[in-house]
Amino acid sequence: MNNKTILLVEDNAQDEMLTLRALRKAKVANQIDVARDGQQALEYLFKEGAYVDRDGADLPTMVLLDISLPRLSGLEVLERIRADSRTRLLPVVILTSSDEERDRLKSYEIGANSFVQKPVDFAEFAETVARLGIYWLAINEPPHH
Amino acid sequence: MDKNLVLAILLPFLALPLQWLLWPWLTPFVWFLFYPTVFFSARLGSLWGGLISTVTSIVMVWYFFMPPQLSWALDNPSRLYSIGLFLIMGYLFSVTHQRLKLAQHNNETALEARFAAAFEQAAVGIAMLSPDGHWLRANQKLCEIVGYSHDELLARSFQDITYPDDLEVDCNYKQQLLQGSIQTYAIEKRYLRKDGGIVWANLTVSLVRHADGNPDYFVSVVEDIQQRKNTELALRQSQADMAKAQGIAHLGSWNYNLAGGWVTWSEEALRILRVAPGTNRLDTEALKDLIAPDDRPAIKAWVGACRDGQQPNDLVFRYLPPDGGMRYLCVRGELLGDAGQLPASMAGTIQDITEIKLAERAVQEGRLKLEAALASMSDAVFISDVAGHFIHFNDAFATFHKFKDKQECAITVAEYPDILDVFMADGSLLPINQWAVPRALRGETVNNVEYSLRRKDTGETWVGSYCFAPIRNDKGSIVGSVVTARDITGQKQTQEALRVSQERLLLALDASRDGLWDWDLRTGAVFRSHRYYEIVGRRREDDTKDFDFFKSTVHPDDLASVLATIEAHKQGKTPIISFDYRLASPADKTTWVRVKGQVVERDANGAPMRIVGILSDITEHKLAEAQIRGLNTDLERRVEERTAALIVANQELDAFAYAVSHDLRAPLRAMSGFSLALQEDYGGQLTGEASEYLAQINVAALKMGDLIDGLLVLSRSSRGELRLDTVDLTALANNWVAELKRNAPGRQVAVYIEPGLQTQGDARMIEAALRNLLDNAWKYTQHTVSPCIRFYSELRDGRRYFCVADNGAGFDMAYANKLFRPFQRLHRQDEFLGIGIGLATVQRIVHRHGGTIEAQGEIGKGAVFSFSLGQ
């Protein structure tokens, strides 16, 4: 479990801190890489730009993806992930403040594995993140490349 | 001198050279040729001829043949003896022939005398004529016949007294006699008498020839047959008269020779029998085949009756002429001869009555045809005699007069006033003398006069169209009447309906101020109503009643399209004609008219024959239309502008709500998160009220989150598309109440939900509204002792209302108007938590469905929220 990496794509530093704290609290010990906008997330995944010499396994075990991101939005990032054969099957969880119906529909349409709303109530938020981590890292069997 | 004598004398001179030539073979018979010579000389020349020939012969023989020849010397005295013998024999020949001739002459003289007597006293005329036709002799009788004396007659030739027409025949025959091709001939000829009269004679002629065969004379026997001729002529005249009479009467006569078994027919009879003239004797066997086999027994019986002396009736039988066909003949006859005598013949007449028979049959057939024709007619036909008694009437007569059948009908016109009333068209009662039959009997001929009739017994009324006329005999006097009548009640009703319909149409047309036109394409003629001229602004007098007039009323700019439209309709490409055009009116005024029409008749090939339609003045209509079009355009433009503005506003609102849902939450989450993190990580170091303050930060953050959520829901309820689903309200309510109970397991609430509630609308919105109402009911009954929530429907003013009722806190109706405004609350937070946005959302949703919502409440008693969802 320890060799699995999680990519968190989040532009809001406060949300990032809270998410990381919640994961830590939930005893998720995996390496968590953070990308702060869509562009960065894609460069990370495809080892481009600043991430050409990225260490570690080729792809993260899962991606936690915010929707409202500077430059490329989370949904655009998801589309690019699904369009590329290398990342086509990568588990992506949309993690967003929005509870807009259209965001949820669109996410599933373009291939999100889960859609999770970040609640305002931090206790609730922490529990949600903890459950996500456990599900995707421990329970779910990812497709083999 | 008699030439016989000369010949007799010359004969020795002929014999001499002959014997001289033959002498070498005749030697020594010196008399060889001279005996015959003398014999024939005696026969020719009698005594003297014979004697001279004898002497001449002796001299010649003595000198030329007695040796020595060519001298008178005699070699032997015995020669004298032979000379003497020849002389005696010559004498004997001569005497004998002399005697023979005398005897013959005497004989002839006696014969001649007897002949002359007979000749003169004969009862017939006898004459001798020279070959050239001159009379040589004629007897007394002949002289009497032709009326000339003997001498006068001999002075003429037969040609002189022969009737010119008969001369050629007579001469021809005589010529043939002369040529020897006939021996005799007999003709009947006419002689011209001295007194100028003509006498018929039977002439028999033969030719007498000389012994040498040359014609000598004609012997003519002339028999006076004038009397016979007269009789014959009279008979022929009488027969001709008879034949003519028979011909005129077409009546032939016949005579049946009972013994001979043949029948003699008159000329007319033969014509009737159609056998060749001259075949005037037909035996009974031959006749039998010409009689129709069916009639043969009747003929036989009839002839038998005649023969027995009865006088049978005329017999008509069918006769099959040899040249084909069939004739009807009528015979009558009787036995000839006195009583007691054995009758020799029957005689009678025969007549061809085929034409009469055929005429009779034609009359019979005509009668049957008339009966059949009358029976087949749907019009009542009745024929009366001069007394008004119906001789003929058909079944339709009974139907027309409402009788059950023909037997029931009254059969004289006089009976009818008891049965019927007859009225004129204006309703006045007609006396019987004005009815059809009496009028016809007075000589009136009328076609199609209408009478109304009413049965006196049933009161049934109907209208009849009558034609009637008198029947006249060949002298012109009236002998009856013929009347036909047709029940035109239905026709009248149809006509009346048509008239009303036409009147209605005309009234409607007048009311609509439309003009009418009717174009006959076969003749090119166009009818136009007076209103038409008013519309086109032309005078009726200027109408040429054709299509050109129409063209002259069309504005030149519109003419081409108008003609094309009409042509397309005529070809069947459009179901009706309907087009607008401008009138060719003065420039300062534009009149718009509309034509509507349709082909109403087409011929067998589908070519149009008649088009009918209307013309309307639509100028005002056009102006109004233009105005409306302008207004519409303006309205559309304004709607577009507003819509565009709304779309922009909506988009902005959308973007705003989206931003709110994303961006306003993150700081709240940070506030909540970090205050909790602080409490968790450093809680032990906090003193006093610090922990309480941190908790309040969290509470505020959460409250702010609820407000944002409420605003988003409210915003969404008025945005987005409204879908139309079938919504199961009962199921929605049950599910949500179950959820509420799960979240508050401690509460005991009585819930009643009416089963089977359904409606049409946007499922997600209706669910949100229903949840809000149930949430409220649930919330405001939390302090009630026996809480009860009901969801049901009711019908008010024809609309279905869905009601959520509770027995909770209720509200003061004075503030009811504030209930549905956003962020307006009727309770304090310490009484019931809330943000005051739920009912505003419910109202928005109900209004978007075209429905209404209302609230009834009383403090401490509860509240009822009733909503409808449009239709």
Side-chain angles (χ1 to χ4, degrees), chain A residues 12 14-15 17-18 21 25 67-68 96-103 117-123 125, chain B residues 654 657-658 661-663 665-666 668-670 672-674 676-677 680-681 701-702 705 712 716 719 764:
Chain A
N12 187 318
Q14 291 172 332
D15 271 355
M17 283 173 68
L18 290 171
R21 184 171 187 276
K25 285 277 212 180
I67 285 183
S68 55
T96 175
S97 306
S98 156
D99 66 344
E100 284 285 330
E101 181 74 13
R102 52 184 152 163
D103 284 344
Q117 196 199 355
K118 291 186 273 191
V120 171
D121 187 337
F122 179 72
F125 177 65
Chain B
D654 237 21
Y658 192 76
S661 70
H662 280 275
D663 300 340
R665 278 193 181 129
L668 293 174
R669 195 163 44 248
S672 168
F674 287 114
L676 275 179
E680 278 175 22
D681 295 355
L702 293 182
L712 282 173
R716 278 179 205 143
R719 285 188 290 130
R764 277 180 50 242

CSV table of all heavy atoms in Angstrom, one decimal, chain A residues 12 14-15 17-18 21 25 67-68 96-103 117-123 125, chain B residues 654 657-658 661-663 665-666 668-670 672-674 676-677 680-681 701-702 705 712 716 719 764:
chain,number,residue,atom,x,y,z
A,12,ASN,N,-6.7,25.4,-4.4
A,12,ASN,CA,-7.0,26.1,-3.2
A,12,ASN,C,-6.1,25.5,-2.1
A,12,ASN,O,-6.2,24.3,-1.7
A,12,ASN,CB,-8.5,25.9,-2.8
A,12,ASN,CG,-8.9,26.8,-1.6
A,12,ASN,OD1,-8.1,26.8,-0.6
A,12,ASN,ND2,-10.0,27.4,-1.7
A,14,GLN,N,-5.9,26.1,1.0
A,14,GLN,CA,-6.6,25.7,2.3
A,14,GLN,C,-7.2,24.3,2.1
A,14,GLN,O,-7.1,23.4,3.0
A,14,GLN,CB,-7.7,26.7,2.6
A,14,GLN,CG,-7.0,28.0,3.0
A,14,GLN,CD,-8.1,29.1,3.2
A,14,GLN,OE1,-9.1,29.1,2.6
A,14,GLN,NE2,-7.7,30.1,4.1
A,15,ASP,N,-7.9,24.1,1.0
A,15,ASP,CA,-8.5,22.8,0.7
A,15,ASP,C,-7.4,21.7,0.7
A,15,ASP,O,-7.7,20.6,1.1
A,15,ASP,CB,-9.3,22.8,-0.6
A,15,ASP,CG,-10.7,23.3,-0.4
A,15,ASP,OD1,-11.1,23.5,0.8
A,15,ASP,OD2,-11.5,23.4,-1.4
A,17,MET,N,-4.5,21.7,2.2
A,17,MET,CA,-4.1,21.4,3.6
A,17,MET,C,-5.1,20.5,4.3
A,17,MET,O,-4.7,19.5,4.9
A,17,MET,CB,-3.9,22.7,4.4
A,17,MET,CG,-2.6,23.5,4.0
A,17,MET,SD,-2.6,25.1,4.8
A,17,MET,CE,-2.4,24.6,6.6
A,18,LEU,N,-6.4,20.9,4.1
A,18,LEU,CA,-7.4,20.2,4.9
A,18,LEU,C,-7.5,18.7,4.3
A,18,LEU,O,-7.7,17.8,5.1
A,18,LEU,CB,-8.8,20.9,4.7
A,18,LEU,CG,-8.9,22.2,5.5
A,18,LEU,CD1,-10.2,22.9,5.0
A,18,LEU,CD2,-8.9,21.9,7.0
A,21,ARG,N,-4.6,16.7,5.5
A,21,ARG,CA,-4.8,16.4,6.9
A,21,ARG,C,-5.8,15.3,7.1
A,21,ARG,O,-5.6,14.4,7.9
A,21,ARG,CB,-5.3,17.7,7.6
A,21,ARG,CG,-5.4,17.5,9.1
A,21,ARG,CD,-5.6,18.9,9.8
A,21,ARG,NE,-5.6,18.7,11.3
A,21,ARG,CZ,-6.6,18.3,12.0
A,21,ARG,NH1,-7.7,18.0,11.4
A,21,ARG,NH2,-6.5,18.2,13.3
A,25,LYS,N,-5.1,11.8,8.9
A,25,LYS,CA,-5.9,11.4,10.0
A,25,LYS,C,-6.5,10.0,9.8
A,25,LYS,O,-6.7,9.2,10.7
A,25,LYS,CB,-7.0,12.4,10.2
A,25,LYS,CG,-6.6,13.7,10.9
A,25,LYS,CD,-6.5,13.5,12.4
A,25,LYS,CE,-6.8,14.8,13.1
A,25,LYS,NZ,-6.7,14.6,14.6
A,67,ILE,N,-12.7,20.5,-9.7
A,67,ILE,CA,-13.2,20.9,-11.0
A,67,ILE,C,-12.8,22.4,-11.3
A,67,ILE,O,-12.2,22.6,-12.4
A,67,ILE,CB,-14.8,20.9,-11.1
A,67,ILE,CG1,-15.2,19.4,-11.2
A,67,ILE,CG2,-15.3,21.7,-12.3
A,67,ILE,CD1,-16.7,19.2,-11.3
A,68,SER,N,-13.0,23.3,-10.4
A,68,SER,CA,-12.6,24.7,-10.7
A,68,SER,C,-11.2,24.9,-10.5
A,68,SER,O,-10.7,25.0,-9.4
A,68,SER,CB,-13.5,25.6,-9.8
A,68,SER,OG,-13.3,25.3,-8.5
A,96,THR,N,-15.2,18.0,-5.5
A,96,THR,CA,-15.5,19.4,-5.7
A,96,THR,C,-16.4,20.1,-4.8
A,96,THR,O,-17.2,19.3,-4.1
A,96,THR,CB,-16.0,19.6,-7.2
A,96,THR,OG1,-16.4,20.9,-7.4
A,96,THR,CG2,-17.2,18.7,-7.4
A,97,SER,N,-16.4,21.3,-4.6
A,97,SER,CA,-17.3,22.1,-3.8
A,97,SER,C,-18.7,22.1,-4.4
A,97,SER,O,-19.7,22.2,-3.7
A,97,SER,CB,-16.9,23.5,-3.6
A,97,SER,OG,-15.6,23.5,-3.1
A,98,SER,N,-18.8,22.1,-5.7
A,98,SER,CA,-20.0,22.2,-6.4
A,98,SER,C,-21.0,21.1,-6.2
A,98,SER,O,-20.6,19.9,-6.1
A,98,SER,CB,-19.8,22.4,-7.9
A,98,SER,OG,-20.9,22.1,-8.6
A,99,ASP,N,-22.3,21.3,-6.1
A,99,ASP,CA,-23.2,20.2,-6.2
A,99,ASP,C,-24.1,20.4,-7.4
A,99,ASP,O,-25.3,20.0,-7.4
A,99,ASP,CB,-24.0,20.1,-4.9
A,99,ASP,CG,-25.0,21.3,-4.7
A,99,ASP,OD1,-24.7,22.3,-5.4
A,99,ASP,OD2,-25.9,21.2,-3.9
A,100,GLU,N,-23.5,21.1,-8.4
A,100,GLU,CA,-24.3,21.4,-9.6
A,100,GLU,C,-24.6,20.1,-10.4
A,100,GLU,O,-23.7,19.3,-10.6
A,100,GLU,CB,-23.5,22.3,-10.6
A,100,GLU,CG,-23.5,23.8,-10.2
A,100,GLU,CD,-24.8,24.4,-10.5
A,100,GLU,OE1,-25.5,24.0,-11.4
A,100,GLU,OE2,-25.2,25.4,-9.7
A,101,GLU,N,-25.8,19.9,-10.7
A,101,GLU,CA,-26.2,18.7,-11.4
A,101,GLU,C,-25.5,18.5,-12.7
A,101,GLU,O,-25.0,17.4,-13.1
A,101,GLU,CB,-27.7,18.8,-11.7
A,101,GLU,CG,-28.3,17.6,-12.4
A,101,GLU,CD,-28.5,16.4,-11.5
A,101,GLU,OE1,-28.3,16.5,-10.3
A,101,GLU,OE2,-28.7,15.2,-12.0
A,102,ARG,N,-25.3,19.6,-13.4
A,102,ARG,CA,-24.7,19.5,-14.7
A,102,ARG,C,-23.2,19.1,-14.6
A,102,ARG,O,-22.7,18.4,-15.4
A,102,ARG,CB,-24.7,20.9,-15.5
A,102,ARG,CG,-24.2,22.0,-14.7
A,102,ARG,CD,-24.4,23.3,-15.5
A,102,ARG,NE,-24.6,24.4,-14.5
A,102,ARG,CZ,-24.4,25.7,-14.9
A,102,ARG,NH1,-24.2,26.0,-16.1
A,102,ARG,NH2,-24.6,26.6,-14.0
A,103,ASP,N,-22.5,19.6,-13.5
A,103,ASP,CA,-21.1,19.1,-13.3
A,103,ASP,C,-21.1,17.6,-13.1
A,103,ASP,O,-20.2,16.9,-13.6
A,103,ASP,CB,-20.5,19.8,-12.1
A,103,ASP,CG,-20.2,21.3,-12.4
A,103,ASP,OD1,-20.1,21.6,-13.6
A,103,ASP,OD2,-20.0,22.1,-11.4
A,117,GLN,N,-18.8,15.4,-3.4
A,117,GLN,CA,-18.9,16.8,-3.1
A,117,GLN,C,-18.2,17.1,-1.8
A,117,GLN,O,-18.3,16.3,-0.8
A,117,GLN,CB,-20.4,17.2,-3.0
A,117,GLN,CG,-20.5,18.7,-3.0
A,117,GLN,CD,-21.9,19.2,-2.4
A,117,GLN,OE1,-22.7,18.4,-2.1
A,117,GLN,NE2,-22.0,20.5,-2.3
A,118,LYS,N,-17.4,18.2,-1.8
A,118,LYS,CA,-16.7,18.5,-0.6
A,118,LYS,C,-17.7,19.3,0.3
A,118,LYS,O,-18.2,20.3,0.0
A,118,LYS,CB,-15.5,19.4,-0.9
A,118,LYS,CG,-14.4,18.8,-1.6
A,118,LYS,CD,-13.2,19.7,-1.8
A,118,LYS,CE,-13.3,20.5,-3.0
A,118,LYS,NZ,-12.0,21.2,-3.3
A,119,PRO,N,-18.1,18.7,1.5
A,119,PRO,CA,-19.1,19.4,2.3
A,119,PRO,C,-18.4,20.6,3.0
A,119,PRO,O,-17.2,20.6,3.2
A,119,PRO,CB,-19.5,18.3,3.3
A,119,PRO,CG,-18.7,17.1,3.0
A,119,PRO,CD,-17.7,17.4,2.0
A,120,VAL,N,-19.2,21.5,3.4
A,120,VAL,CA,-18.7,22.7,4.2
A,120,VAL,C,-18.3,22.2,5.6
A,120,VAL,O,-17.2,22.6,6.1
A,120,VAL,CB,-19.8,23.8,4.2
A,120,VAL,CG1,-19.3,24.9,5.2
A,120,VAL,CG2,-20.1,24.3,2.9
A,121,ASP,N,-19.0,21.3,6.1
A,121,ASP,CA,-18.8,20.8,7.5
A,121,ASP,C,-17.5,20.0,7.4
A,121,ASP,O,-17.4,18.9,6.7
A,121,ASP,CB,-19.9,19.9,7.9
A,121,ASP,CG,-19.8,19.5,9.4
A,121,ASP,OD1,-18.6,19.5,9.8
A,121,ASP,OD2,-20.8,19.2,9.9
A,122,PHE,N,-16.4,20.4,8.1
A,122,PHE,CA,-15.1,19.8,7.9
A,122,PHE,C,-15.2,18.4,8.5
A,122,PHE,O,-14.5,17.5,7.9
A,122,PHE,CB,-14.0,20.6,8.6
A,122,PHE,CG,-12.7,19.9,8.5
A,122,PHE,CD1,-12.0,19.9,7.3
A,122,PHE,CD2,-12.1,19.2,9.6
A,122,PHE,CE1,-10.8,19.3,7.1
A,122,PHE,CE2,-10.9,18.6,9.4
A,122,PHE,CZ,-10.2,18.6,8.2
A,123,ALA,N,-15.9,18.1,9.5
A,123,ALA,CA,-15.9,16.8,10.1
A,123,ALA,C,-16.4,15.8,9.0
A,123,ALA,O,-15.9,14.7,8.8
A,123,ALA,CB,-16.9,16.8,11.3
A,125,PHE,N,-16.3,16.4,5.9
A,125,PHE,CA,-15.4,16.4,4.8
A,125,PHE,C,-14.3,15.4,5.1
A,125,PHE,O,-13.9,14.6,4.3
A,125,PHE,CB,-14.8,17.8,4.6
A,125,PHE,CG,-13.7,17.9,3.6
A,125,PHE,CD1,-14.0,17.7,2.3
A,125,PHE,CD2,-12.4,18.2,4.0
A,125,PHE,CE1,-13.0,17.8,1.3
A,125,PHE,CE2,-11.4,18.3,3.0
A,125,PHE,CZ,-11.7,18.1,1.7
B,654,ASP,N,-26.8,32.4,-14.0
B,654,ASP,CA,-26.2,31.0,-14.0
B,654,ASP,C,-24.8,31.0,-13.6
B,654,ASP,O,-24.4,30.3,-12.7
B,654,ASP,CB,-26.3,30.5,-15.5
B,654,ASP,CG,-27.1,29.2,-15.6
B,654,ASP,OD1,-27.9,28.9,-14.7
B,654,ASP,OD2,-26.9,28.5,-16.6
B,657,ALA,N,-24.5,31.8,-10.0
B,657,ALA,CA,-24.9,30.7,-9.1
B,657,ALA,C,-23.8,29.6,-9.1
B,657,ALA,O,-23.4,29.0,-8.1
B,657,ALA,CB,-26.2,30.0,-9.6
B,658,TYR,N,-23.2,29.4,-10.3
B,658,TYR,CA,-22.1,28.4,-10.4
B,658,TYR,C,-20.9,28.8,-9.6
B,658,TYR,O,-20.4,28.0,-8.8
B,658,TYR,CB,-21.8,28.3,-11.9
B,658,TYR,CG,-20.9,27.2,-12.2
B,658,TYR,CD1,-21.4,25.9,-12.3
B,658,TYR,CD2,-19.5,27.3,-12.4
B,658,TYR,CE1,-20.6,24.8,-12.6
B,658,TYR,CE2,-18.7,26.3,-12.7
B,658,TYR,CZ,-19.3,25.0,-12.8
B,658,TYR,OH,-18.5,23.9,-13.1
B,661,SER,N,-21.7,28.4,-6.0
B,661,SER,CA,-21.7,27.0,-5.5
B,661,SER,C,-20.2,26.5,-5.3
B,661,SER,O,-20.0,25.7,-4.5
B,661,SER,CB,-22.5,26.1,-6.4
B,661,SER,OG,-21.8,25.9,-7.6
B,662,HIS,N,-19.4,27.0,-6.2
B,662,HIS,CA,-18.0,26.6,-6.0
B,662,HIS,C,-17.2,27.4,-5.0
B,662,HIS,O,-16.6,26.9,-4.1
B,662,HIS,CB,-17.3,26.7,-7.4
B,662,HIS,CG,-17.6,25.5,-8.3
B,662,HIS,ND1,-16.9,24.3,-8.2
B,662,HIS,CD2,-18.5,25.4,-9.2
B,662,HIS,CE1,-17.4,23.5,-9.1
B,662,HIS,NE2,-18.4,24.1,-9.7
B,663,ASP,N,-17.2,28.7,-5.3
B,663,ASP,CA,-16.2,29.6,-4.7
B,663,ASP,C,-16.6,30.1,-3.3
B,663,ASP,O,-15.7,30.4,-2.5
B,663,ASP,CB,-15.9,30.8,-5.6
B,663,ASP,CG,-15.4,30.3,-6.9
B,663,ASP,OD1,-14.9,29.2,-7.0
B,663,ASP,OD2,-15.5,31.1,-7.9
B,665,ARG,N,-18.2,28.3,-1.1
B,665,ARG,CA,-18.1,27.3,-0.1
B,665,ARG,C,-16.7,27.1,0.4
B,665,ARG,O,-16.5,26.7,1.6
B,665,ARG,CB,-18.6,26.0,-0.7
B,665,ARG,CG,-20.1,25.9,-0.7
B,665,ARG,CD,-20.5,24.5,-1.1
B,665,ARG,NE,-21.9,24.3,-1.1
B,665,ARG,CZ,-22.5,23.8,-2.1
B,665,ARG,NH1,-21.9,23.4,-3.1
B,665,ARG,NH2,-23.8,23.6,-2.0
B,666,ALA,N,-15.7,27.2,-0.5
B,666,ALA,CA,-14.3,26.9,-0.1
B,666,ALA,C,-13.9,27.6,1.2
B,666,ALA,O,-13.4,27.0,2.1
B,666,ALA,CB,-13.4,27.1,-1.3
B,668,LEU,N,-15.7,28.9,3.5
B,668,LEU,CA,-16.5,28.4,4.7
B,668,LEU,C,-15.9,27.1,5.2
B,668,LEU,O,-15.8,26.9,6.4
B,668,LEU,CB,-17.9,28.2,4.3
B,668,LEU,CG,-18.7,29.5,4.0
B,668,LEU,CD1,-20.1,29.1,3.5
B,668,LEU,CD2,-18.8,30.3,5.2
B,669,ARG,N,-15.6,26.2,4.2
B,669,ARG,CA,-15.0,24.9,4.5
B,669,ARG,C,-13.7,25.2,5.3
B,669,ARG,O,-13.4,24.5,6.3
B,669,ARG,CB,-14.8,24.1,3.3
B,669,ARG,CG,-14.6,22.7,3.6
B,669,ARG,CD,-14.8,21.7,2.4
B,669,ARG,NE,-14.1,22.3,1.2
B,669,ARG,CZ,-14.8,22.8,0.2
B,669,ARG,NH1,-16.2,22.7,0.2
B,669,ARG,NH2,-14.2,23.3,-0.8
B,670,ALA,N,-12.9,26.2,4.8
B,670,ALA,CA,-11.6,26.5,5.5
B,670,ALA,C,-11.9,26.9,6.9
B,670,ALA,O,-11.2,26.5,7.9
B,670,ALA,CB,-10.9,27.5,4.7
B,672,SER,N,-14.5,26.3,8.8
B,672,SER,CA,-14.9,25.2,9.6
B,672,SER,C,-13.8,24.2,9.9
B,672,SER,O,-13.5,23.8,11.0
B,672,SER,CB,-16.1,24.5,8.9
B,672,SER,OG,-16.4,23.2,9.4
B,673,GLY,N,-13.0,24.0,8.8
B,673,GLY,CA,-11.9,23.0,8.9
B,673,GLY,C,-10.8,23.4,9.9
B,673,GLY,O,-10.4,22.6,10.8
B,674,PHE,N,-10.4,24.7,9.7
B,674,PHE,CA,-9.3,25.1,10.5
B,674,PHE,C,-9.7,25.3,12.0
B,674,PHE,O,-8.9,25.0,12.9
B,674,PHE,CB,-8.6,26.3,10.0
B,674,PHE,CG,-7.8,26.0,8.7
B,674,PHE,CD1,-8.2,26.5,7.5
B,674,PHE,CD2,-6.7,25.1,8.8
B,674,PHE,CE1,-7.4,26.1,6.3
B,674,PHE,CE2,-6.0,24.8,7.7
B,674,PHE,CZ,-6.3,25.3,6.5
B,676,LEU,N,-11.9,23.5,13.5
B,676,LEU,CA,-12.0,22.2,14.1
B,676,LEU,C,-10.6,21.6,14.3
B,676,LEU,O,-10.3,21.0,15.3
B,676,LEU,CB,-12.8,21.2,13.2
B,676,LEU,CG,-14.3,21.2,13.4
B,676,LEU,CD1,-14.9,20.3,12.4
B,676,LEU,CD2,-14.7,20.8,14.8
B,677,ALA,N,-9.7,21.9,13.3
B,677,ALA,CA,-8.3,21.4,13.4
B,677,ALA,C,-7.6,22.0,14.6
B,677,ALA,O,-6.9,21.3,15.4
B,677,ALA,CB,-7.5,21.8,12.1
B,680,GLU,N,-9.0,20.3,17.6
B,680,GLU,CA,-8.4,18.9,17.8
B,680,GLU,C,-7.0,18.9,18.2
B,680,GLU,O,-6.6,18.2,19.1
B,680,GLU,CB,-8.6,18.2,16.4
B,680,GLU,CG,-9.9,17.6,16.2
B,680,GLU,CD,-10.1,17.0,14.8
B,680,GLU,OE1,-9.0,16.6,14.2
B,680,GLU,OE2,-11.2,16.9,14.3
B,681,ASP,N,-6.2,19.8,17.5
B,681,ASP,CA,-4.7,19.7,17.7
B,681,ASP,C,-4.3,20.5,18.9
B,681,ASP,O,-3.4,20.1,19.6
B,681,ASP,CB,-4.0,20.3,16.5
B,681,ASP,CG,-4.2,19.4,15.2
B,681,ASP,OD1,-4.9,18.3,15.3
B,681,ASP,OD2,-3.8,19.8,14.1
B,701,ALA,N,-20.1,29.2,10.1
B,701,ALA,CA,-19.7,28.7,8.8
B,701,ALA,C,-20.7,27.7,8.2
B,701,ALA,O,-21.2,27.8,7.0
B,701,ALA,CB,-18.3,28.0,8.8
B,702,LEU,N,-21.2,26.8,9.1
B,702,LEU,CA,-22.2,25.9,8.7
B,702,LEU,C,-23.5,26.6,8.3
B,702,LEU,O,-24.2,26.3,7.2
B,702,LEU,CB,-22.5,24.9,9.8
B,702,LEU,CG,-21.4,23.9,10.1
B,702,LEU,CD1,-21.8,22.9,11.2
B,702,LEU,CD2,-20.9,23.1,8.8
B,705,GLY,N,-23.2,28.0,5.0
B,705,GLY,CA,-23.3,27.0,4.0
B,705,GLY,C,-24.7,26.6,3.7
B,705,GLY,O,-25.1,26.5,2.5
B,712,LEU,N,-29.1,28.6,-3.8
B,712,LEU,CA,-28.9,27.8,-5.0
B,712,LEU,C,-30.2,27.1,-5.4
B,712,LEU,O,-30.6,27.1,-6.6
B,712,LEU,CB,-27.7,26.9,-4.8
B,712,LEU,CG,-26.4,27.5,-4.9
B,712,LEU,CD1,-25.3,26.5,-4.6
B,712,LEU,CD2,-26.1,28.1,-6.3
B,716,ARG,N,-32.2,27.7,-8.7
B,716,ARG,CA,-32.4,26.6,-9.7
B,716,ARG,C,-33.9,26.4,-10.0
B,716,ARG,O,-34.2,26.0,-11.1
B,716,ARG,CB,-31.8,25.3,-9.2
B,716,ARG,CG,-30.3,25.2,-9.5
B,716,ARG,CD,-29.8,23.9,-8.9
B,716,ARG,NE,-28.4,24.0,-8.6
B,716,ARG,CZ,-27.8,23.5,-7.5
B,716,ARG,NH1,-28.5,22.7,-6.7
B,716,ARG,NH2,-26.5,23.6,-7.3
B,719,ARG,N,-34.8,28.5,-12.9
B,719,ARG,CA,-34.0,28.4,-14.1
B,719,ARG,C,-34.2,27.0,-14.7
B,719,ARG,O,-34.8,26.1,-14.1
B,719,ARG,CB,-32.5,28.6,-13.7
B,719,ARG,CG,-32.1,30.0,-13.5
B,719,ARG,CD,-30.6,30.1,-13.4
B,719,ARG,NE,-30.1,29.5,-12.1
B,719,ARG,CZ,-29.1,28.6,-12.1
B,719,ARG,NH1,-28.5,28.2,-13.2
B,719,ARG,NH2,-28.7,28.0,-11.0
B,764,ARG,N,-38.2,16.3,-10.8
B,764,ARG,CA,-37.2,16.7,-9.8
B,764,ARG,C,-37.7,17.9,-9.0
B,764,ARG,O,-37.6,18.0,-7.8
B,764,ARG,CB,-35.9,17.0,-10.5
B,764,ARG,CG,-35.0,15.8,-10.7
B,764,ARG,CD,-33.7,16.2,-11.4
B,764,ARG,NE,-33.0,17.2,-10.8
B,764,ARG,CZ,-32.8,18.4,-11.3
B,764,ARG,NH1,-33.1,18.6,-12.6
B,764,ARG,NH2,-32.1,19.3,-10.7
